[in-house]
Amino acid sequence: MSTEPGTEAIAAGLRRQLADQLEKGGWLRSREWRSAVEVVPRHVFVPRFYRETDAPDITTWEPVTEETVGHEEWLRLVYTDATWMTQFDGRAIDWADPKPISNAAPTSSSTLPSLVVRMLEDLDVHDGMKVLEIGTGTGYSTALMCHRLGGGNVTSIETDEGVARRARAALAESGHTPHLLVGDGRTGDRRGAPYDRLIATCGFRNIPPAWLEQVVPGGVILTTLRGWMRSLGLVKLTVSGDSASGWFSEDDPSFMIARQQDAPESLGVIPGPDDGTKRKATYGPGVLTTPGPAFMAQLAAPDARFFSLAVDCGPAATFVLDGVTDSFAVLTATDSGWQVRQGGPRRLWDVVESAIVTWEEHGSPNRAAFGVTVSHDEQVVWLGNPDGPQWPLPT
C-alpha cells in the first residue's frame, strides 16, 4: 500500500463517493454491504493494474501505477466503478518495468465494484453464515465478505498460486484472515463443508456436482454460466437435497471462464470449399452477436465458436465450428439473404435456428424467463417453467 502522506484520508473519501454511486445505481442496497465498501481499501488489492487503450485495430492494455499516472490519479482510478486487469495468459507481470500488452487474454482482474456488490447483495447472507467463494482473484470481494461475516466464515479458492499469494498478502495487510485454498474450484472444499452460500467469480459451463453436495439444503449457489461463444448469464440456484434450481438474472454480467473449462486452442476442423450441404439460411450471422438470439445460439451449440474469414479473396464468410464433434456451419451472403453450408455429426445452424424460433414463438423473452435445474444426473436450462422447452448444459 502506498505510504504517500494523506493516502488513507483521500481513499476514505473516494470509498464514500463510490458507495454513494453504487447506492444511487441500485447495486448497493443494505447498510451492511455499504459499510464494507466504505471500509475495505481497494487500493491495497489493486496497487497496479492494466486498462484498455483506445488504440485502433488491436486490443491493447497499458499499465497503471502510481509512477505512471501520479498518486491522486491512481487512487481515483482504483475507486472508479471499473474492471481492472491484473494478469494476462496466466503469466506474472514484471512490474519493475511494465509494458503495454496486446494479443493477450486477460486471466485475472478486479471486477467492477457494482457487479461485485450486486452479487453479494443477491447472495442474501445473514450473520453467522459460512460462504465458499470460487475465484479469489485480487481478494477484494473476499475482503468485503470478511468484513460482513468475519474471516472465519469465509473460504476462498484460487486456481493460480501466484494470484493466491498476492491476494493472501493483501488480505493480511487489510486485517482479514479467511481460509484461503489453492486448487480447482470445481471440487469445492469438502473439509470445510457444509456451506450456507457459494459464490463463483469466474464462469462455468455447468454446475459441478461437488457444489450440490457441499451447500446445505435451502442454501444458495450464485454463479455465471457460459459457453465458449459467450456468457449465458448470472444464475441463482436454491439447493434442495441432491439437486438445485433457480433463475437467470435479467442482465448479462460476464466473467472469465474457469481455466479448467476454457476452450481448447484448436477451433475445430475448418471445412474445405466443397464440404457439407447447402441451404438457404433463415437467420444470418448477426444472431450470434445480438443479445437474445445469441443467448439461444449459445444454449443450442455450447461447444461451438465462430469467426469471420475472407475466402479466396472474396467477401468474408462466418465459420461456426464445434471443436468437440468437428461439426461446422459456414454462412455466406447472397443476393437474397444468407446461405449456410453444414457438415459433421451435428447440423449446427439447424439447432441454432430451431432454438431462435422457439424463443420467438414464446415472445422473445429476456433471460430472466429462463431457469436452470441441475442434479447429478442431468443439467438443463428451461424456458418459462421446468416443463417448458429445455436445452442441456454441456458436461
Side-chain angles (χ1 to χ4, degrees):
M1 186 168 66
S2 173
T3 57
E4 185 85 12
T7 292
E8 181 49 39
I10 296 172
L14 291 171
R15 288 196 294 272
R16 287 191 296 270
Q17 291 179 24
L18 178 60
D20 288 342
Q21 178 186 349
L22 299 181
E23 186 172 340
K24 184 177 181 180
W27 310 115
L28 197 54
R29 305 188 297 272
S30 64
R31 60 179 177 81
E32 292 87 356
W33 288 118
R34 177 173 180 119
S35 173
V37 171
E38 289 185 340
V39 170
V40 173
R42 194 186 188 204
H43 64 281
V44 171
F45 297 90
V46 199
R48 301 170 294 271
F49 56 90
Y50 274 78
R51 61 179 172 183
E52 188 173 339
T53 72
D54 56 2
D57 300 327
I58 186 170
T59 302
T60 301
W61 291 270
E62 63 180 4
V64 176
T65 67
E66 288 184 80
E67 292 75 22
T68 59
V69 298
H71 180 71
E72 291 190 7
E73 176 65 3
W74 164 72
L75 273 178
R76 185 192 70 80
L77 288 171
V78 166
Y79 289 102
T80 299
D81 186 25
T83 295
W84 301 126
M85 302 305 168
T86 54
Q87 188 192 65
F88 298 87
D89 295 333
R91 300 171 182 169
I93 293 170
D94 179 10
W95 285 110
D97 186 25
K99 297 288 195 299
I101 293 176
S102 303
N103 291 320
T107 47
S108 190
S109 68
S110 180
T111 303
L112 69 163
S114 58
L115 177 53
V116 171
V117 300
R118 172 265 173 87
M119 290 180 66
L120 293 175
E121 292 277 14
D122 287 351
L123 200 59
D124 190 26
V125 299
H126 304 285
D127 291 349
M129 282 188 169
K130 290 175 59 181
V131 177
L132 176 61
E133 178 187 40
I134 311 298
T136 312
T138 64
Y140 176 66
S141 59
T142 317
L144 293 173
M145 288 189 284
C146 288
H147 179 85
R148 172 69 179 84
L149 296 169
N153 287 325
V154 178
T155 298
S156 187
I157 303 175
E158 171 58 47
T159 190
D160 186 296
E161 290 188 8
V163 171
R165 183 171 57 254
R166 290 186 288 275
R168 188 184 301 275
L171 284 159
E173 184 174 344
S174 62
H176 298 296
T177 54
H179 305 291
L180 297 180
L181 306 174
V182 178
D184 183 349
R186 293 176 300 175
T187 65
D189 173 36
R190 191 175 303 276
R191 293 181 63 181
Y195 289 93
D196 300 290
R197 300 287 188 266
L198 185 151
I199 181 172
T201 58
C202 48
F204 286 84
R205 283 163 58 77
N206 50 40
I207 302 298
W211 295 4
L212 298 177
E213 300 167 0
Q214 295 173 23
V215 175
V216 301
V220 170
I221 295 173
L222 188 67
T223 186
T224 298
L225 289 175
R226 61 166 303 147
W228 289 336
M229 281 197 287
R230 63 178 285 115
S231 170
L232 288 171
L234 182 68
V235 65
K236 182 177 181 179
L237 305 175
T238 300
V239 176
S240 176
D242 57 358
S243 66
S245 63
W247 298 86
F248 281 99
S249 65
E250 182 174 340
D251 52 356
D252 185 24
S254 180
F255 284 99
M256 302 168 192
I257 195 166
R259 295 189 194 183
Q260 292 81 6
Q261 293 189 336
D262 204 357
E265 290 188 10
S266 173
L267 291 169
V269 177
I270 297 179
D274 299 321
D275 292 343
T277 58
K278 299 177 182 178
R279 68 167 174 84
K280 180 178 174 60
T282 304
Y283 302 95
V287 299
L288 298 173
T289 55
T290 303
F295 179 89
M296 300 309 302
Q298 181 63 91
L299 282 179
D303 298 323
R305 286 176 285 173
F306 68 93
F307 61 92
S308 295
L309 180 69
V311 179
D312 296 332
C313 300
T318 297
F319 290 76
V320 185
L321 305 181
D322 184 323
V324 174
T325 65
D326 285 337
S327 301
F328 67 86
V330 184
L331 291 144
T332 53
T334 68
D335 292 338
S336 58
W338 293 92
Q339 179 186 83
V340 61
R341 179 165 54 90
Q342 302 180 90
R346 295 197 76 203
R347 310 292 286 183
L348 284 180
W349 208 244
D350 288 1
V351 297
V352 167
E353 290 192 335
S354 176
I356 294 173
V357 167
T358 298
W359 175 72
E360 291 179 335
E361 289 175 346
H362 284 76
S364 304
N366 65 35
R367 57 178 44 82
F370 292 81
V372 180
T373 298
V374 302
S375 68
H376 288 283
D377 299 323
E378 65 175 355
Q379 303 197 14
V380 296
V381 174
W382 38 263
L383 173 57
N385 61 72
D387 297 322
Q390 294 186 351
W391 296 267
L393 290 172
T395 57

